[in-house]
Amino acid sequence: MKKVLNLFDFKQKVNYKTEILAGLTVAMTMIPESLSFAILAGFPPLVGLYASFIMGLITAIFGGRPGLISGGAGATTVVLIALMNSHGLEYVFGAVIIAGIIQVIVGLFKLGKFIRLVPQPVMFGFVNGLAIIIFMSQIEQFKVNVGGNIEWMTGSPFLIMAGLVALTIGIIVLLPKLTKAIPASLVAIIVVFAIVYFFGIDTKQVIDIASVSGSLPPFNIPDIPFTFEAFKTVLPYGLIMAAVGLTEGLLTLNLVDEITGTKGQSNRECVAQGTANIANGFFFGMGGCPMIAQTLVNLSSGSRARLSGIIAAITILTIILVGAPVIELLPMAALVGVMIMVAFGTFEWASFRVFTRMPKHDIFVMLLVTLITVFLHNLALAVLIGVIISALVFAWDNAKRIRARKSVDENGIKHYEIYGPLFFGSTATFMSKFNVHKDSEEIIVDFTESRIVDMSAIETLNKLTELYSKHGKKVHLKHLSGDCRKLLSNAEAVIDVNIIEDPTYRVVAD
């Protein structure tokens, strides 16, 4: 029994009251978001709730870190809208299964560690963009359906909604100053619900979005042709969904690591996310990924263990089965207020404090990632572009730093001590350091403080040795590390390599 508990990370002391209350709060905030995105994509509303239950339960038990909350997230749902419109719901389930398989493969091959290569400005932009999206999605709740047209609230409905939202925010802000025994978000939801219910206030409720009553998730093999054509149809959507889910998931995992001062397991999280998405595809769920807003609600409620995620998932299933009549009466104003506070808590206000001290290219990357996240709702694209620009800037800076210290020994042989990496960006500067006409009959290029990185560097060394060879001169390379020698093993133009052991460079393991 103890081994099982350790597997689920319950080996540390768990504050059961805190975990249970946090789980209930998370469930209350997850339901309207999952419903909203399911309806936005044209799915049956229950498909969103099933996804939150399945994702939440599997990842809470087997995921890469305690405290992380997963569910039917908008980031992955948006990817599937086009497939839903063109081929229908069964193809969506097929794409969700494909995405899950890809995520499991990423985890098994331990590729999740590469998310650590995401620079801090990209993280700032990603988080700030998500905070803005969360906030803007709550503003949409101030719209109502009038005769088939979506219009902004006006008059008394608007004032009532705004007043209840303000009351919710006020409770969340002020209650922690009095007591932290109960999560402020849960208290706010209960208080606002009680006021609306007992005073008979007419305001927008969960039932105005969709019904949340139903049965257990039914087993369903996607009804699509088992053909290559069908596979070609769902594969691109599965790839994109997997990429978006992993990007948002692993960045959220990193964010939780920073908040809690602990370390999660990225590859384990990839496997858990993939397993949950595969289950979604076979049990009528729209799939999903970690939800940063609900994760922050969970953490702000004091949760640091896996129990809260399990409670949240079970609560959602219980609501589907028996609790729908009550939950459908929850005022949307209470949930909007909670999510607005989550948006403010999500935003990296520290990015403003360091704004004037950040390099200009970092400021550009941060703003670009934020804008792409907000306007395109494509988290994978935003992060990818941010990483590419940061990598190019890094390459440019390193390209300018390569230099050579020159000296001549007692035998008249000229030495070039190279500093900085030799790669595609620095090859031109590297070649400019040599003067074949004035150099001695032999030169030695010392790589003690340098490293040959790529094929462009190898080709540059070939050109260098060929250039000196045409003038009847020899080039000797020395102090090459093992991995550099391996890269040069097929470069026949490189002659007289003096091998001196240097450290082998490795990518950090998970």
Side-chain angles (χ1 to χ4, degrees):
M1 182 65 178
K2 185 176 290 187
K3 291 183 178 179
V4 175
L5 292 177
N6 287 347
L7 172 65
F8 296 157
D9 290 340
F10 289 139
K11 55 189 175 182
Q12 295 181 343
K13 186 177 180 180
V14 176
N15 187 324
Y16 290 99
K17 185 185 78 170
T18 298
E19 294 297 317
I20 291 171
L21 293 176
L24 293 173
T25 306
V26 167
M28 293 303 102
T29 61
M30 191 183 296
I31 288 171
E33 184 167 340
S34 298
L35 286 173
S36 298
F37 281 113
I39 294 170
L40 173 67
F43 304 152
L46 280 176
V47 171
L49 294 184
Y50 287 151
S52 290
F53 163 65
I54 295 169
M55 292 294 302
L57 185 63
I58 293 176
T59 57
I61 296 174
F62 300 107
R65 66 153 304 114
L68 194 66
I69 300 296
S70 296
T76 51
T77 305
V78 171
V79 171
L80 302 172
I81 294 177
L83 181 61
M84 177 65 185
N85 293 335
S86 61
H87 289 81
L89 189 59
E90 296 297 325
Y91 275 77
V92 167
F93 294 146
V96 171
I97 293 171
I98 294 293
I101 293 172
I102 293 170
Q103 291 173 328
V104 170
I105 291 172
V106 169
L108 292 178
F109 282 91
K110 302 187 182 300
L111 303 178
K113 60 194 173 188
F114 290 107
I115 197 65
R116 298 175 189 170
L117 299 178
V118 177
Q120 192 62 44
V122 177
M123 280 287 290
F124 277 152
F126 166 81
V127 171
N128 291 347
L130 277 179
I132 294 171
I133 289 175
I134 294 169
F135 179 80
M136 295 305 296
S137 67
Q138 304 316 305
I139 301 301
E140 291 294 311
Q141 296 299 334
F142 284 86
K143 293 180 180 180
V144 290
N145 191 326
V146 180
N149 297 319
I150 304 299
E151 299 179 359
W152 288 99
M153 292 180 179
T154 56
S156 296
F158 173 80
L159 293 176
I160 291 172
M161 181 87 166
L164 293 173
V165 169
L167 175 61
T168 304
I169 293 174
I171 293 173
I172 294 174
V173 171
L174 298 176
L175 184 62
K177 297 179 180 180
L178 301 176
T179 177
K180 294 183 180 180
I182 304 176
S185 298
L186 182 60
V187 173
I189 292 172
I190 293 173
V191 169
V192 173
F193 171 76
I195 291 173
V196 170
Y197 181 78
F198 289 109
F199 287 93
I201 297 174
D202 184 16
T203 186
K204 189 176 181 180
Q205 298 172 314
V206 170
I207 187 62
D208 296 320
I209 298 178
S211 172
V212 297
S213 62
S215 59
L216 290 171
F219 178 73
N220 173 63
I221 298 176
D223 185 17
I224 58 178
F226 196 71
T227 63
F228 184 66
E229 288 300 318
F231 179 72
K232 284 198 304 182
T233 300
V234 299
L235 179 60
Y237 293 96
L239 284 169
I240 297 171
M241 180 181 172
V244 170
L246 289 177
T247 300
E248 183 167 1
L250 295 178
L251 288 178
T252 304
L253 184 144
N254 277 2
L255 185 64
V256 178
D257 286 352
E258 293 179 11
I259 293 174
T260 62
T262 57
K263 190 173 182 58
Q265 302 175 57
S266 57
N267 295 313
R268 179 174 170 179
E269 183 64 31
C270 292
V271 173
Q273 294 292 325
T275 303
N277 274 319
I278 292 172
N280 263 290
F282 286 113
F283 285 92
F284 221 72
M286 68 183 185
C289 65
M291 304 173 76
I292 190 170
Q294 281 67 28
T295 298
L296 291 172
V297 167
N298 190 43
L299 297 177
S300 64
S301 298
S303 171
R304 292 297 183 271
R306 296 181 181 273
L307 183 58
S308 61
I310 297 173
I311 293 295
I314 294 174
T315 300
I316 291 173
L317 180 61
T318 304
I319 288 169
I320 294 172
L321 298 177
V322 298
V326 175
I327 297 303
E328 289 173 348
L329 297 179
L330 281 178
M332 286 302 301
L335 304 179
V336 168
V338 171
M339 297 307 292
I340 286 177
M341 291 306 297
V342 168
F344 276 92
T346 302
F347 198 91
E348 283 282 2
W349 301 102
S351 60
F352 286 136
R353 292 198 295 271
V354 300
F355 199 84
T356 56
R357 300 194 294 272
M358 291 172 65
K360 291 182 179 179
H361 60 81
D362 282 346
I363 295 175
F364 173 75
V365 168
M366 182 180 71
L367 294 177
L368 181 63
V369 172
T370 300
L371 292 174
I372 294 174
T373 302
V374 171
F375 290 105
L376 298 184
H377 286 216
N378 192 327
L379 307 181
L381 178 64
V383 172
L384 179 62
I385 291 176
V387 170
I388 289 174
I389 293 176
S390 298
L392 290 175
V393 171
F394 175 81
W396 176 252
D397 287 342
N398 277 274
K400 295 187 296 183
R401 291 177 181 175
I402 193 166
R403 60 193 190 277
R405 186 167 66 182
K406 307 169 187 177
S407 62
V408 179
D409 62 19
E410 63 276 8
N411 298 318
I413 299 176
K414 191 169 185 178
H415 291 251
Y416 287 86
E417 296 179 45
I418 306 300
Y419 296 83
L422 180 58
F423 67 109
F424 68 90
S426 61
T427 53
T429 305
F430 173 79
M431 289 294 291
S432 68
K433 304 296 182 183
F434 297 89
N435 190 330
V436 66
H437 299 289
K438 295 183 179 180
D439 281 347
S440 57
E441 295 299 312
E442 293 186 33
I443 68 167
I444 294 176
V445 185
D446 191 334
F447 283 90
T448 302
E449 301 296 334
S450 181
R451 184 170 177 243
I452 298 167
V453 176
D454 57 12
M455 192 62 207
S456 297
I458 294 174
E459 181 60 26
T460 298
L461 291 177
N462 286 339
K463 290 179 180 178
L464 181 69
T465 54
E466 288 174 356
L467 178 64
Y468 276 83
S469 180
K470 288 179 181 178
H471 290 77
K473 300 179 180 181
K474 288 186 177 183
V475 176
H476 303 271
L477 309 180
K478 63 185 298 187
H479 293 166
L480 293 170
S481 61
D483 49 350
C484 293
R485 296 195 304 275
K486 185 176 180 180
L487 284 174
L488 290 169
S489 61
N490 295 323
E492 296 178 357
V494 179
I495 55 174
D496 296 332
V497 177
N498 183 8
I499 299 175
I500 299 178
E501 294 292 339
D502 277 352
T504 300
Y505 301 87
R506 303 183 188 277
V507 177
V508 64
D510 182 33

